[in-house]
Amino acid sequence: MIKTERSFEGVYLALAIGALLIAPFILTESYTRHLLILALIYAVVASNWDLSLGYGGLFNFAHLAFFSIGVYGYGIMAKSIGISPWLAIPLAGLLSVAAAMIVAVPILRLGGIYIILVTFAFSQLVLQIVVSQSDITGGNMGMVGLPPLKLPGYNFVRDGKLGYYFGAVILLLSSTFFLRWLVNSPTGLSIVALRDNADYAVSRGISLAKQRVITLTASALFTGIAGGYYGAYIRVASPDAFGMGLLSLLLSILLVGGTSTIYGPILAAFLLTFISEAMVDLGPWRHMIVAVMIVAVLIFYPGGIWQAATGFNEFLKRRLGGRVARKTSAQST
Amino acid sequence: MALLKIENLSKNFGALKAVSGVSFEVRKGQIFGIAGPNGSGKSTLFNIITGVPFSATSGAVWFNGQSISGIAAQKICHLGLARTYQRETAFDSLTAYQNIALGAVFGPGEREATGAATLEERVCRAAELVELDRARLARKASELSIFERKQLMLASALVMEPKAMLLDEPASSLTKPEIAETIRIIRNINARGIAIVLIEHVLPVLLSLSQRLLVLNHGEMLRLGAPDDVVRDEQVIAAYLGKRGARDAEAA
């Protein structure tokens, strides 16, 4: 509807989907499949964080809490209450949306560092609730033995977790289509407009408070669903899901991938999950090397690896464009 | 009946009285000029009328028969009061087209947009009216020239289909031919029945367009009247124009 520059988005998307469909038949080992599934889930969480942090420019540190609320929401609904896992996963998404509405209220008109403080306090609050309400959440021990996903006569964990893999692929695809649709819609543009210049945006009729609620709730939807799916796959809900380890992994996926791109964090989720895993024998060196890599990427490619990828795309366009131009000039002579 | 009515409007920043007891009326379709030395409260006046980024300390603003004092800034815009800024402002990471489209989508609020025109038609019509080259619409706003960014800001205000526009120094930092074009553009906008309140330091622009002229000094009203009378006023010459300015004004 709103003109953007022509790109190869469709072509690259088709290639990426093709690769995701073929991958599990090449990477048949159970542990590799496990990493792929984790990467797919992290990709969903990081790319949705990109909506609030990248496009919205909101330093939202409650994003991981939205994910954890999804995990615990799934655990409580599917195990304690006994709702069907297929229903509990989308409901976990709605639970995170409700949480996003709650956190949106105090930060409606705040800016910068105050958003970090409030959202960080919110996630600590949720963590303390989880730890203290051990009758419901299992406290520090967490919840174990969450119900797995099953179709009649088929457990998703069979065939080397093939069911979970394709479930995660479908999750990532729906999340990505949702995000791309949103950021290209007038609502998405208004979110960027508020980031670029809030006063000017308001004087063009855009409501700061309303769009901020939309930004946070939209970014929580698939994050919560991914949390529910993670719970159904790992079958454990533990307070670790709030931890600094996962937070810094997701933040580095987002920054290395490149903010305000959606695709960047998705690419980085696969890259960082596998690079980090490839160095597992190095012990503590692994974290140091990853940290140095992140610093290096941010110095040389502040726009993340997506900036490098689009640079390649521009190069390709110039080459193709040049060839077309030569052809037409050859025909005209 | 007055379209925009300002009653005894004041804005204090602590002990500083940025705007103090300003009252005037702008009729439908009128061009109303505001002049005054730097720091005389012209832009602050626009800020407190539109509520961005702050509202007035006291006084009242009426627009189209409705009090708009203290209501949410985006609602003021929805009622049909659009403004531009002194610095050429845009959403820099969006294209020019997207900049205008945002005004078209969000500007009118609950009001119905005109007729059956598509979004693209409305955007292109606004760009055409401010003489912004259609080929530049696909560019990022940050890549445009100063004049093009001024045109873009006008187009994104115009596309909201306002009843009145507050223009803050539309001709500042422009070349002579660009200033002439700006005068023509403002005339064309006004010819569509849109009232214009114009802050300007470039006298030829101010004097060739304004039907009424207000001069502010230290946040207070120094003189309000027909432009020809105002520029001959001795107080105005002493406080703002200076002797050379007065001669230039005569020439204009």
Side-chain angles (χ1 to χ4, degrees):
Chain A
M1 181 190 65
I2 286 170
K3 271 190 255 172
T4 43
E5 267 190 59
R6 199 176 297 161
S7 67
F8 296 136
E9 186 169 339
V11 179
Y12 285 126
L13 258 182
L15 284 175
I17 293 171
L20 284 176
L21 292 181
I22 299 166
F25 301 105
I26 300 166
L27 306 166
T28 49
E29 201 198 339
S30 167
Y31 188 64
T32 320
R33 293 250 181 97
H34 169 68
L35 288 181
L36 277 175
I37 294 167
L38 285 186
L40 287 162
I41 293 172
Y42 293 157
V44 173
V45 180
S47 57
N48 277 278
W49 199 358
D50 195 15
L51 181 63
S52 59
L53 198 144
Y55 287 85
L58 304 171
F59 293 103
N60 164 30
F61 277 81
H63 194 74
L64 201 57
F66 298 159
F67 176 72
S68 309
I69 286 168
V71 180
Y72 273 96
Y74 175 80
I76 292 165
M77 286 187 285
K79 192 184 178 198
S80 313
I81 303 177
I83 297 173
S84 153
W86 293 105
L87 195 60
I89 290 175
L91 284 178
L94 293 183
L95 202 63
S96 296
V97 168
M101 279 182 193
I102 292 170
V103 80
V105 173
I107 64 164
L108 278 186
R109 285 166 212 288
L110 295 182
I113 184 107
Y114 299 101
I115 294 180
I116 303 183
L117 291 174
V118 172
T119 52
F120 201 77
F122 175 81
S123 56
Q124 287 303 306
L125 179 73
V126 177
L127 172 62
Q128 291 311 319
I129 292 173
V130 163
V131 171
S132 64
Q133 302 302 309
S134 50
D135 292 346
I136 303 168
T137 61
N140 278 316
M141 307 294 289
M143 303 174 79
V144 291
L146 305 184
L149 281 179
K150 278 181 192 154
L151 284 176
Y154 186 80
N155 187 329
F156 267 41
V157 84
R158 274 171 50 191
D159 304 321
K161 308 180 172 106
L162 205 58
Y164 278 110
Y165 175 82
F166 281 112
V169 168
I170 291 169
L171 179 63
L172 177 61
L173 288 180
S174 6
S175 159
T176 307
F177 282 124
F178 169 72
L179 287 173
R180 290 300 298 176
W181 165 78
L182 185 70
V183 299
N184 287 316
S185 74
T187 301
L189 294 180
S190 73
I191 289 170
V192 176
L194 284 164
R195 178 197 69 190
D196 277 4
N197 191 331
D199 282 346
Y200 185 49
V202 170
S203 74
R204 290 296 171 265
I206 299 167
S207 162
L208 178 68
K210 193 173 149 197
Q211 301 313 97
R212 199 164 267 186
V213 172
I214 291 175
T215 311
L216 285 174
T217 50
S219 76
L221 177 62
F222 274 95
T223 306
I225 294 175
Y229 194 82
Y230 182 83
Y233 171 58
I234 301 284
R235 303 185 58 194
V236 172
S238 99
D240 291 346
F242 291 92
M244 283 310 279
L246 189 55
L247 179 76
S248 53
L249 173 67
L250 287 169
L251 195 58
S252 49
I253 286 175
L254 183 51
L255 294 179
V256 168
T259 51
S260 310
T261 59
I262 301 295
Y263 293 130
I266 294 173
L267 210 59
F270 289 94
L271 218 62
L272 283 188
T273 308
F274 278 90
I275 289 177
S276 161
E277 209 53 44
M279 295 188 296
V280 78
D281 296 337
L282 300 178
W285 281 101
R286 175 169 70 142
H287 298 294
M288 293 187 220
I289 294 172
V290 170
V292 170
M293 269 175 35
I294 290 168
V295 173
V297 166
L298 292 180
I299 289 173
F300 296 110
Y301 281 100
I305 49 175
W306 192 249
Q307 191 192 359
T310 41
F312 176 72
N313 187 38
E314 289 303 311
F315 168 77
L316 213 65
K317 258 204 245 177
R318 268 202 307 279
R319 287 294 296 269
L320 289 177
R323 198 183 297 161
V324 173
R326 274 198 299 280
K327 235 185 216 166
T328 43
S329 70
Q331 277 164 3
S332 61
T333 47
Chain B
M1 194 191 79
L3 178 64
L4 178 67
K5 191 173 166 191
I6 312 292
E7 278 179 341
N8 208 11
L9 207 59
S10 300
K11 175 71 186 176
N12 303 339
F13 297 103
L16 176 75
K17 291 180 173 173
V19 172
S20 174
V22 171
S23 304
F24 62 87
E25 289 186 7
V26 180
R27 288 202 316 276
K28 200 166 176 274
Q30 193 178 37
I31 300 185
F32 186 97
I34 299 177
N38 286 324
S40 60
K42 303 184 298 294
S43 294
T44 306
L45 185 62
F46 275 11
N47 289 341
I48 57 183
I49 291 173
T50 57
V52 182
F54 39 68
S55 19
T57 311
S58 63
V61 184
W62 297 80
F63 184 67
N64 211 16
Q66 182 180 347
S67 168
I68 58 167
S69 310
I71 74 170
Q74 72 271 8
K75 299 230 167 85
I76 293 178
C77 162
H78 295 164
L79 290 172
L81 185 59
R83 75 171 291 188
T84 65
Y85 290 84
Q86 194 173 342
R87 294 264 310 273
E88 50 288 351
T89 310
F91 306 121
D92 282 337
S93 48
L94 302 180
T95 65
Y97 183 94
Q98 291 170 331
N99 266 269
I100 305 175
L102 276 173
V105 174
F106 290 93
E110 306 294 312
R111 275 186 296 147
E112 285 285 308
T114 334
T118 66
L119 180 63
E120 189 169 340
E121 281 164 6
R122 291 172 63 202
V123 171
C124 290
R125 213 184 294 154
E128 211 169 289
L129 205 68
V130 302
E131 303 179 14
L132 180 61
D133 188 357
R134 190 185 271 242
R136 304 292 280 168
L137 289 181
R139 285 303 187 89
K140 279 233 167 105
S142 56
E143 294 169 10
L144 301 184
S145 73
I146 289 182
F147 184 49
E148 285 170 333
R149 284 165 66 88
K150 294 220 172 210
Q151 289 171 301
L152 178 62
M153 188 162 58
L154 279 173
S156 74
L158 193 59
V159 80
M160 303 195 288
E161 298 172 7
K163 295 183 178 73
M165 283 169 79
L166 310 182
L167 308 182
D168 196 346
E169 297 199 28
S172 68
S173 49
L174 296 183
T175 64
K176 270 200 170 159
E178 287 166 351
I179 289 175
E181 197 174 341
T182 302
I183 294 177
R184 194 170 67 229
I185 292 168
I186 295 173
R187 282 224 172 90
N188 287 339
I189 293 173
N190 183 240
R192 300 170 71 87
I194 299 171
I196 286 172
V197 184
L198 178 70
I199 293 177
E200 192 50 80
H201 275 307
V202 181
L203 282 176
V205 178
L206 196 60
L207 296 177
S208 64
L209 288 171
S210 310
Q211 290 147 9
R212 300 271 289 166
L213 183 61
L214 167 68
V215 177
L216 292 177
N217 194 27
H218 299 304
E220 292 176 356
M221 293 173 66
L222 191 64
R223 186 82 159 78
L224 168 64
D228 287 349
D229 300 337
V230 172
V231 296
R232 287 197 188 92
D233 187 288
E234 289 197 357
Q235 273 184 304
V236 171
I237 293 172
Y240 175 53
L241 292 174
K243 292 226 164 73
R244 239 193 80 190
R247 276 200 301 278
D248 291 350
E250 286 289 334

PDB file of all heavy atoms in Angstrom, chain B residues 124-150:
ATOM      1  N   CYS B 124      -0.115  12.284  -3.292  1.00  0.00           N
ATOM      2  CA  CYS B 124       0.424  12.922  -4.494  1.00  0.00           C
ATOM      3  C   CYS B 124      -0.158  14.318  -4.692  1.00  0.00           C
ATOM      4  O   CYS B 124       0.542  15.235  -5.114  1.00  0.00           O
ATOM      5  CB  CYS B 124       0.166  12.052  -5.724  1.00  0.00           C
ATOM      6  SG  CYS B 124       1.169  10.561  -5.696  1.00  0.00           S
ATOM      7  N   ARG B 125      -1.446  14.479  -4.361  1.00  0.00           N
ATOM      8  CA  ARG B 125      -2.078  15.785  -4.506  1.00  0.00           C
ATOM      9  C   ARG B 125      -1.415  16.805  -3.569  1.00  0.00           C
ATOM     10  O   ARG B 125      -1.148  17.940  -3.955  1.00  0.00           O
ATOM     11  CB  ARG B 125      -3.578  15.673  -4.179  1.00  0.00           C
ATOM     12  CG  ARG B 125      -4.432  16.623  -5.004  1.00  0.00           C
ATOM     13  CD  ARG B 125      -5.878  16.541  -4.565  1.00  0.00           C
ATOM     14  NE  ARG B 125      -6.478  15.248  -4.857  1.00  0.00           N
ATOM     15  CZ  ARG B 125      -7.496  14.742  -4.163  1.00  0.00           C
ATOM     16  NH1 ARG B 125      -7.993  15.393  -3.118  1.00  0.00           N
ATOM     17  NH2 ARG B 125      -8.021  13.584  -4.495  1.00  0.00           N
ATOM     18  N   ALA B 126      -1.145  16.366  -2.336  1.00  0.00           N
ATOM     19  CA  ALA B 126      -0.500  17.270  -1.372  1.00  0.00           C
ATOM     20  C   ALA B 126       0.905  17.638  -1.847  1.00  0.00           C
ATOM     21  O   ALA B 126       1.304  18.801  -1.790  1.00  0.00           O
ATOM     22  CB  ALA B 126      -0.441  16.616   0.007  1.00  0.00           C
ATOM     23  N   ALA B 127       1.642  16.652  -2.355  1.00  0.00           N
ATOM     24  CA  ALA B 127       2.999  16.904  -2.841  1.00  0.00           C
ATOM     25  C   ALA B 127       2.961  17.878  -4.013  1.00  0.00           C
ATOM     26  O   ALA B 127       3.791  18.784  -4.129  1.00  0.00           O
ATOM     27  CB  ALA B 127       3.658  15.598  -3.253  1.00  0.00           C
ATOM     28  N   GLU B 128       1.959  17.698  -4.877  1.00  0.00           N
ATOM     29  CA  GLU B 128       1.814  18.556  -6.047  1.00  0.00           C
ATOM     30  C   GLU B 128       1.542  20.010  -5.624  1.00  0.00           C
ATOM     31  O   GLU B 128       2.125  20.944  -6.168  1.00  0.00           O
ATOM     32  CB  GLU B 128       0.624  18.038  -6.859  1.00  0.00           C
ATOM     33  CG  GLU B 128       0.709  18.254  -8.340  1.00  0.00           C
ATOM     34  CD  GLU B 128      -0.386  17.473  -9.022  1.00  0.00           C
ATOM     35  OE1 GLU B 128      -0.309  16.221  -9.066  1.00  0.00           O
ATOM     36  OE2 GLU B 128      -1.339  18.122  -9.468  1.00  0.00           O
ATOM     37  N   LEU B 129       0.675  20.177  -4.636  1.00  0.00           N
ATOM     38  CA  LEU B 129       0.298  21.515  -4.201  1.00  0.00           C
ATOM     39  C   LEU B 129       1.469  22.287  -3.602  1.00  0.00           C
ATOM     40  O   LEU B 129       1.538  23.508  -3.721  1.00  0.00           O
ATOM     41  CB  LEU B 129      -0.844  21.421  -3.182  1.00  0.00           C
ATOM     42  CG  LEU B 129      -1.720  22.662  -3.087  1.00  0.00           C
ATOM     43  CD1 LEU B 129      -2.527  22.860  -4.342  1.00  0.00           C
ATOM     44  CD2 LEU B 129      -2.634  22.562  -1.878  1.00  0.00           C
ATOM     45  N   VAL B 130       2.412  21.559  -2.962  1.00  0.00           N
ATOM     46  CA  VAL B 130       3.577  22.253  -2.429  1.00  0.00           C
ATOM     47  C   VAL B 130       4.745  22.194  -3.413  1.00  0.00           C
ATOM     48  O   VAL B 130       5.871  22.537  -3.078  1.00  0.00           O
ATOM     49  CB  VAL B 130       4.022  21.683  -1.055  1.00  0.00           C
ATOM     50  CG1 VAL B 130       2.895  21.774  -0.054  1.00  0.00           C
ATOM     51  CG2 VAL B 130       4.511  20.258  -1.184  1.00  0.00           C
ATOM     52  N   GLU B 131       4.457  21.720  -4.632  1.00  0.00           N
ATOM     53  CA  GLU B 131       5.434  21.675  -5.734  1.00  0.00           C
ATOM     54  C   GLU B 131       6.646  20.814  -5.395  1.00  0.00           C
ATOM     55  O   GLU B 131       7.776  21.111  -5.795  1.00  0.00           O
ATOM     56  CB  GLU B 131       5.857  23.114  -6.115  1.00  0.00           C
ATOM     57  CG  GLU B 131       4.646  23.969  -6.493  1.00  0.00           C
ATOM     58  CD  GLU B 131       5.004  25.401  -6.862  1.00  0.00           C
ATOM     59  OE1 GLU B 131       6.191  25.675  -7.093  1.00  0.00           O
ATOM     60  OE2 GLU B 131       4.083  26.237  -6.946  1.00  0.00           O
ATOM     61  N   LEU B 132       6.400  19.757  -4.642  1.00  0.00           N
ATOM     62  CA  LEU B 132       7.472  18.801  -4.340  1.00  0.00           C
ATOM     63  C   LEU B 132       7.505  17.756  -5.460  1.00  0.00           C
ATOM     64  O   LEU B 132       6.491  17.133  -5.760  1.00  0.00           O
ATOM     65  CB  LEU B 132       7.220  18.128  -2.987  1.00  0.00           C
ATOM     66  CG  LEU B 132       8.256  17.101  -2.511  1.00  0.00           C
ATOM     67  CD1 LEU B 132       9.624  17.740  -2.356  1.00  0.00           C
ATOM     68  CD2 LEU B 132       7.822  16.487  -1.182  1.00  0.00           C
ATOM     69  N   ASP B 133       8.680  17.616  -6.049  1.00  0.00           N
ATOM     70  CA  ASP B 133       8.854  16.723  -7.193  1.00  0.00           C
ATOM     71  C   ASP B 133       8.446  15.292  -6.839  1.00  0.00           C
ATOM     72  O   ASP B 133       8.906  14.729  -5.851  1.00  0.00           O
ATOM     73  CB  ASP B 133      10.336  16.757  -7.604  1.00  0.00           C
ATOM     74  CG  ASP B 133      10.569  16.018  -8.910  1.00  0.00           C
ATOM     75  OD1 ASP B 133       9.595  15.444  -9.444  1.00  0.00           O
ATOM     76  OD2 ASP B 133      11.719  16.026  -9.374  1.00  0.00           O
ATOM     77  N   ARG B 134       7.559  14.705  -7.649  1.00  0.00           N
ATOM     78  CA  ARG B 134       7.045  13.374  -7.380  1.00  0.00           C
ATOM     79  C   ARG B 134       8.152  12.320  -7.324  1.00  0.00           C
ATOM     80  O   ARG B 134       8.088  11.369  -6.551  1.00  0.00           O
ATOM     81  CB  ARG B 134       6.040  13.003  -8.477  1.00  0.00           C
ATOM     82  CG  ARG B 134       5.246  11.751  -8.199  1.00  0.00           C
ATOM     83  CD  ARG B 134       4.399  11.425  -9.405  1.00  0.00           C
ATOM     84  NE  ARG B 134       3.107  12.078  -9.334  1.00  0.00           N
ATOM     85  CZ  ARG B 134       1.950  11.399  -9.277  1.00  0.00           C
ATOM     86  NH1 ARG B 134       1.956  10.093  -9.281  1.00  0.00           N
ATOM     87  NH2 ARG B 134       0.815  12.032  -9.232  1.00  0.00           N
ATOM     88  N   ALA B 135       9.196  12.547  -8.118  1.00  0.00           N
ATOM     89  CA  ALA B 135      10.296  11.582  -8.172  1.00  0.00           C
ATOM     90  C   ALA B 135      11.068  11.535  -6.849  1.00  0.00           C
ATOM     91  O   ALA B 135      11.782  10.575  -6.582  1.00  0.00           O
ATOM     92  CB  ALA B 135      11.247  11.940  -9.309  1.00  0.00           C
ATOM     93  N   ARG B 136      10.916  12.591  -6.042  1.00  0.00           N
ATOM     94  CA  ARG B 136      11.648  12.635  -4.773  1.00  0.00           C
ATOM     95  C   ARG B 136      10.902  11.911  -3.654  1.00  0.00           C
ATOM     96  O   ARG B 136      11.443  11.742  -2.569  1.00  0.00           O
ATOM     97  CB  ARG B 136      11.884  14.094  -4.341  1.00  0.00           C
ATOM     98  CG  ARG B 136      12.593  14.926  -5.370  1.00  0.00           C
ATOM     99  CD  ARG B 136      14.017  14.499  -5.566  1.00  0.00           C
ATOM    100  NE  ARG B 136      14.889  15.035  -4.521  1.00  0.00           N
ATOM    101  CZ  ARG B 136      16.141  14.638  -4.330  1.00  0.00           C
ATOM    102  NH1 ARG B 136      16.651  13.695  -5.099  1.00  0.00           N
ATOM    103  NH2 ARG B 136      16.865  15.159  -3.378  1.00  0.00           N
ATOM    104  N   LEU B 137       9.656  11.510  -3.920  1.00  0.00           N
ATOM    105  CA  LEU B 137       8.837  10.925  -2.857  1.00  0.00           C
ATOM    106  C   LEU B 137       9.380   9.602  -2.346  1.00  0.00           C
ATOM    107  O   LEU B 137       9.170   9.240  -1.197  1.00  0.00           O
ATOM    108  CB  LEU B 137       7.392  10.732  -3.344  1.00  0.00           C
ATOM    109  CG  LEU B 137       6.585  12.016  -3.531  1.00  0.00           C
ATOM    110  CD1 LEU B 137       5.174  11.682  -3.985  1.00  0.00           C
ATOM    111  CD2 LEU B 137       6.542  12.816  -2.253  1.00  0.00           C
ATOM    112  N   ALA B 138      10.093   8.866  -3.214  1.00  0.00           N
ATOM    113  CA  ALA B 138      10.611   7.559  -2.791  1.00  0.00           C
ATOM    114  C   ALA B 138      11.883   7.691  -1.965  1.00  0.00           C
ATOM    115  O   ALA B 138      12.357   6.718  -1.398  1.00  0.00           O
ATOM    116  CB  ALA B 138      10.868   6.682  -4.018  1.00  0.00           C
ATOM    117  N   ARG B 139      12.431   8.920  -1.894  1.00  0.00           N
ATOM    118  CA  ARG B 139      13.670   9.134  -1.152  1.00  0.00           C
ATOM    119  C   ARG B 139      13.418   9.182   0.349  1.00  0.00           C
ATOM    120  O   ARG B 139      12.354   9.592   0.787  1.00  0.00           O
ATOM    121  CB  ARG B 139      14.320  10.458  -1.587  1.00  0.00           C
ATOM    122  CG  ARG B 139      14.981  10.419  -2.923  1.00  0.00           C
ATOM    123  CD  ARG B 139      16.031   9.337  -2.949  1.00  0.00           C
ATOM    124  NE  ARG B 139      16.802   9.383  -4.174  1.00  0.00           N
ATOM    125  CZ  ARG B 139      17.917  10.117  -4.313  1.00  0.00           C
ATOM    126  NH1 ARG B 139      18.340  10.858  -3.326  1.00  0.00           N
ATOM    127  NH2 ARG B 139      18.572  10.086  -5.445  1.00  0.00           N
ATOM    128  N   LYS B 140      14.441   8.820   1.099  1.00  0.00           N
ATOM    129  CA  LYS B 140      14.399   9.020   2.554  1.00  0.00           C
ATOM    130  C   LYS B 140      14.356  10.528   2.840  1.00  0.00           C
ATOM    131  O   LYS B 140      15.036  11.312   2.172  1.00  0.00           O
ATOM    132  CB  LYS B 140      15.655   8.439   3.195  1.00  0.00           C
ATOM    133  CG  LYS B 140      15.575   6.948   3.389  1.00  0.00           C
ATOM    134  CD  LYS B 140      15.889   6.588   4.838  1.00  0.00           C
ATOM    135  CE  LYS B 140      15.506   5.163   5.136  1.00  0.00           C
ATOM    136  NZ  LYS B 140      16.627   4.271   5.218  1.00  0.00           N
ATOM    137  N   ALA B 141      13.576  10.917   3.849  1.00  0.00           N
ATOM    138  CA  ALA B 141      13.446  12.338   4.189  1.00  0.00           C
ATOM    139  C   ALA B 141      14.801  12.958   4.500  1.00  0.00           C
ATOM    140  O   ALA B 141      15.053  14.118   4.199  1.00  0.00           O
ATOM    141  CB  ALA B 141      12.507  12.505   5.381  1.00  0.00           C
ATOM    142  N   SER B 142      15.709  12.145   5.081  1.00  0.00           N
ATOM    143  CA  SER B 142      17.027  12.686   5.457  1.00  0.00           C
ATOM    144  C   SER B 142      17.876  13.018   4.233  1.00  0.00           C
ATOM    145  O   SER B 142      18.854  13.737   4.341  1.00  0.00           O
ATOM    146  CB  SER B 142      17.762  11.683   6.349  1.00  0.00           C
ATOM    147  OG  SER B 142      17.855  10.435   5.695  1.00  0.00           O
ATOM    148  N   GLU B 143      17.495  12.485   3.053  1.00  0.00           N
ATOM    149  CA  GLU B 143      18.290  12.724   1.847  1.00  0.00           C
ATOM    150  C   GLU B 143      17.832  13.967   1.084  1.00  0.00           C
ATOM    151  O   GLU B 143      18.451  14.339   0.085  1.00  0.00           O
ATOM    152  CB  GLU B 143      18.210  11.505   0.911  1.00  0.00           C
ATOM    153  CG  GLU B 143      18.861  10.264   1.499  1.00  0.00           C
ATOM    154  CD  GLU B 143      18.537   9.017   0.687  1.00  0.00           C
ATOM    155  OE1 GLU B 143      17.966   9.133  -0.420  1.00  0.00           O
ATOM    156  OE2 GLU B 143      18.847   7.921   1.177  1.00  0.00           O
ATOM    157  N   LEU B 144      16.742  14.593   1.545  1.00  0.00           N
ATOM    158  CA  LEU B 144      16.213  15.737   0.799  1.00  0.00           C
ATOM    159  C   LEU B 144      16.963  17.022   1.168  1.00  0.00           C
ATOM    160  O   LEU B 144      17.576  17.119   2.230  1.00  0.00           O
ATOM    161  CB  LEU B 144      14.728  15.913   1.104  1.00  0.00           C
ATOM    162  CG  LEU B 144      13.811  14.730   0.767  1.00  0.00           C
ATOM    163  CD1 LEU B 144      12.372  15.103   1.042  1.00  0.00           C
ATOM    164  CD2 LEU B 144      13.969  14.287  -0.672  1.00  0.00           C
ATOM    165  N   SER B 145      16.871  18.019   0.288  1.00  0.00           N
ATOM    166  CA  SER B 145      17.488  19.323   0.565  1.00  0.00           C
ATOM    167  C   SER B 145      16.638  20.089   1.584  1.00  0.00           C
ATOM    168  O   SER B 145      15.514  19.688   1.886  1.00  0.00           O
ATOM    169  CB  SER B 145      17.583  20.124  -0.726  1.00  0.00           C
ATOM    170  OG  SER B 145      16.293  20.572  -1.098  1.00  0.00           O
ATOM    171  N   ILE B 146      17.184  21.185   2.086  1.00  0.00           N
ATOM    172  CA  ILE B 146      16.454  21.979   3.083  1.00  0.00           C
ATOM    173  C   ILE B 146      15.104  22.428   2.530  1.00  0.00           C
ATOM    174  O   ILE B 146      14.070  22.275   3.177  1.00  0.00           O
ATOM    175  CB  ILE B 146      17.284  23.215   3.515  1.00  0.00           C
ATOM    176  CG1 ILE B 146      18.467  22.762   4.363  1.00  0.00           C
ATOM    177  CG2 ILE B 146      16.415  24.202   4.288  1.00  0.00           C
ATOM    178  CD1 ILE B 146      19.321  23.893   4.879  1.00  0.00           C
ATOM    179  N   PHE B 147      15.104  22.936   1.317  1.00  0.00           N
ATOM    180  CA  PHE B 147      13.853  23.418   0.730  1.00  0.00           C
ATOM    181  C   PHE B 147      12.864  22.269   0.545  1.00  0.00           C
ATOM    182  O   PHE B 147      11.675  22.398   0.850  1.00  0.00           O
ATOM    183  CB  PHE B 147      14.132  24.116  -0.611  1.00  0.00           C
ATOM    184  CG  PHE B 147      12.900  24.719  -1.228  1.00  0.00           C
ATOM    185  CD1 PHE B 147      12.052  25.528  -0.489  1.00  0.00           C
ATOM    186  CD2 PHE B 147      12.590  24.479  -2.566  1.00  0.00           C
ATOM    187  CE1 PHE B 147      10.912  26.084  -1.050  1.00  0.00           C
ATOM    188  CE2 PHE B 147      11.451  25.033  -3.137  1.00  0.00           C
ATOM    189  CZ  PHE B 147      10.616  25.833  -2.384  1.00  0.00           C
ATOM    190  N   GLU B 148      13.379  21.138   0.072  1.00  0.00           N
ATOM    191  CA  GLU B 148      12.482  19.982  -0.115  1.00  0.00           C
ATOM    192  C   GLU B 148      11.910  19.509   1.218  1.00  0.00           C
ATOM    193  O   GLU B 148      10.746  19.101   1.294  1.00  0.00           O
ATOM    194  CB  GLU B 148      13.240  18.832  -0.795  1.00  0.00           C
ATOM    195  CG  GLU B 148      13.473  19.069  -2.268  1.00  0.00           C
ATOM    196  CD  GLU B 148      14.433  18.054  -2.869  1.00  0.00           C
ATOM    197  OE1 GLU B 148      15.286  17.506  -2.137  1.00  0.00           O
ATOM    198  OE2 GLU B 148      14.329  17.805  -4.077  1.00  0.00           O
ATOM    199  N   ARG B 149      12.733  19.591   2.277  1.00  0.00           N
ATOM    200  CA  ARG B 149      12.232  19.195   3.597  1.00  0.00           C
ATOM    201  C   ARG B 149      11.160  20.171   4.077  1.00  0.00           C
ATOM    202  O   ARG B 149      10.203  19.778   4.753  1.00  0.00           O
ATOM    203  CB  ARG B 149      13.376  19.102   4.600  1.00  0.00           C
ATOM    204  CG  ARG B 149      14.214  17.839   4.408  1.00  0.00           C
ATOM    205  CD  ARG B 149      15.524  17.922   5.141  1.00  0.00           C
ATOM    206  NE  ARG B 149      15.373  17.951   6.585  1.00  0.00           N
ATOM    207  CZ  ARG B 149      15.304  16.864   7.346  1.00  0.00           C
ATOM    208  NH1 ARG B 149      15.371  15.671   6.803  1.00  0.00           N
ATOM    209  NH2 ARG B 149      15.178  16.963   8.650  1.00  0.00           N
ATOM    210  N   LYS B 150      11.306  21.442   3.729  1.00  0.00           N
ATOM    211  CA  LYS B 150      10.266  22.418   4.078  1.00  0.00           C
ATOM    212  C   LYS B 150       8.985  22.118   3.308  1.00  0.00           C
ATOM    213  O   LYS B 150       7.881  22.197   3.853  1.00  0.00           O
ATOM    214  CB  LYS B 150      10.744  23.835   3.769  1.00  0.00           C
ATOM    215  CG  LYS B 150      11.903  24.245   4.635  1.00  0.00           C
ATOM    216  CD  LYS B 150      11.765  25.688   5.075  1.00  0.00           C
ATOM    217  CE  LYS B 150      12.840  26.004   6.086  1.00  0.00           C
ATOM    218  NZ  LYS B 150      12.440  27.005   7.050  1.00  0.00           N
TER     219      LYS B 150
END
